[in-house]
Amino acid sequence: MLLHVTIPAVLGRLLPVLLVPCLLALPAWAADKPSAGPAEKDLDPGVRMSLQLMKGPYFKASPEEYLSGGIGASIVGNHRYAVKLLTMAIDSGGLNMEQLAQAYLNRGMARMHINQHRLAVEDLTKALESMPDKYDTYFQLGNALRALGAFTEAIIAYNRALELKPGYAPAYYMRGSVWLIKGDNRLAVNDFSEAIRMRPKMDDAFYLRSQAYEALGEWDKALADLKSFHLLNPLDDSVEISIARLRTRMAEPKASPAGR
C-alpha cells in the first residue's frame, strides 16, 4: 500500500535548542552545502572520461550507465552532478521498475544533500510507486519530511520503515529525534533506548536520550547517558561542559521537569 502524505508549509527552523550538532550532522543523511566549481571535478578520472565519451557523437550512454554514473557521483559527494545523471536515466524511459525506483531513491537522497527537500519528497514518493515495499525508501522519505518540518508525516514514514524492517536502529533513532523536537520526551526515550539496544555504540543516541531524560527531570539517567557518550567520544571536550552544566542544575534546590 502506497504512502500518501500531505506536506504542510515549511517551518522556518527546527527548534535549535533541541537540534544539537550530533543531530544535525548525521553522516549518512545530513544535507551538505552545494559544492563549488565544476560538478564533475570530484569524479574518478575513469568515470569522468567515460561520461564525457557518452556525450560525444559516436557513443550514446544507456539508461543503466547514467544510473550507475549517478550513483557513483553521489558516492563521491558530487550530489548536483548525481541529480543531473539520474535525471537523464529517468527521462530516458529505458529503466525497468526496479531500476526506476533505484534512480528516484538515489536522486531523492542527492537532492536532500543539496537542501532540495521538497523535490526529494517527490522523488522518494515516486520511488515507492515503483517499488512500494522498500524500507530504506520509507526511511529516507521520513528524513526528507523531517527536514521540511512535516513531523507527523515523517513519523508515519519511519513507522512504515520499521514495519518492513523490524529492529532497524536508524529508524528508531530518527523517529526519536522527531519526538524530541515535538517535546514528546518519553516517546523519544523509548526510541533512543531501542536504537541503543540494537546498536550499543550509537553514541548520538546516548546524547539525545540524555536531553530527553533531562527534560523529564530524570537527572541521574541524563548524567549516565552523557557519561556513556563521553566514553564513546573521549576527545569531545564539549561533553564535559554539558556534564558540568547538568550537575549544576541537579544541585539546584527546586529543579523541576521541563517537559513530558
Side-chain angles (χ1 to χ4, degrees), residues 21-235:
C22 66
L23 182 58
L24 291 174
L26 298 170
W29 51 77
D32 295 335
K33 294 180 180 179
S35 58
E40 295 89 341
K41 68 174 184 177
D42 294 324
L43 288 179
D44 176 88
V47 174
R48 185 167 61 247
M49 180 176 292
S50 177
L51 291 172
Q52 289 296 331
L53 288 172
M54 293 176 189
K55 300 176 184 177
Y58 304 108
F59 301 97
K60 183 177 180 181
S62 67
E64 293 80 7
E65 287 172 316
Y66 280 125
L67 174 59
S68 177
I71 294 172
S74 288
I75 290 172
V76 299
N78 226 319
H79 304 297
R80 288 192 178 277
Y81 196 48
V83 169
K84 178 179 178 181
L85 292 174
L86 292 167
T87 298
M88 291 178 180
I90 292 167
D91 291 347
S92 71
L95 300 177
N96 61 38
M97 293 295 283
E98 185 174 356
Q99 291 170 333
L100 189 62
Q102 189 178 21
Y104 276 122
L105 169 61
N106 282 276
R107 191 173 73 173
M109 292 170 62
R111 281 176 160 162
M112 277 194 282
H113 279 287
I114 56 176
N115 298 321
Q116 296 178 352
H117 300 298
R118 189 170 293 278
L119 291 174
V121 168
E122 293 176 6
D123 275 350
L124 295 165
T125 302
K126 288 177 181 176
L128 289 169
E129 291 174 359
S130 299
M131 298 290 288
D133 294 324
K134 294 292 186 179
Y135 77 91
D136 52 345
T137 307
Y138 277 103
F139 174 68
Q140 295 296 341
L141 178 60
N143 294 338
L145 289 165
R146 172 186 171 280
L148 283 173
F151 300 129
T152 299
E153 290 87 346
I155 288 171
I156 292 171
Y158 293 135
N159 289 348
R160 184 61 178 143
L162 287 167
E163 289 173 9
L164 293 168
K165 189 176 178 63
Y168 186 48
Y172 278 112
Y173 173 86
M174 291 303 296
R175 191 175 69 179
S177 76
V178 175
W179 292 129
L180 188 61
I181 293 168
K182 288 168 62 66
D184 293 316
N185 297 297
R186 184 57 64 190
L187 292 174
V189 164
N190 293 342
D191 274 351
F192 292 137
S193 296
E194 279 298 304
I196 291 167
R197 184 178 66 83
M198 288 175 281
R199 290 193 184 179
K201 293 186 179 181
M202 186 179 272
D203 53 351
D204 292 348
F206 282 106
Y207 193 98
L208 294 185
R209 191 174 67 175
S210 75
Q211 287 196 332
Y213 275 137
E214 184 176 354
L216 291 166
E218 299 182 20
W219 319 110
D220 291 337
K221 292 179 179 179
L223 183 59
D225 273 353
L226 283 177
K227 289 179 178 179
S228 295
F229 178 83
H230 196 27
L231 286 173
L232 294 169
N233 294 271
L235 300 180

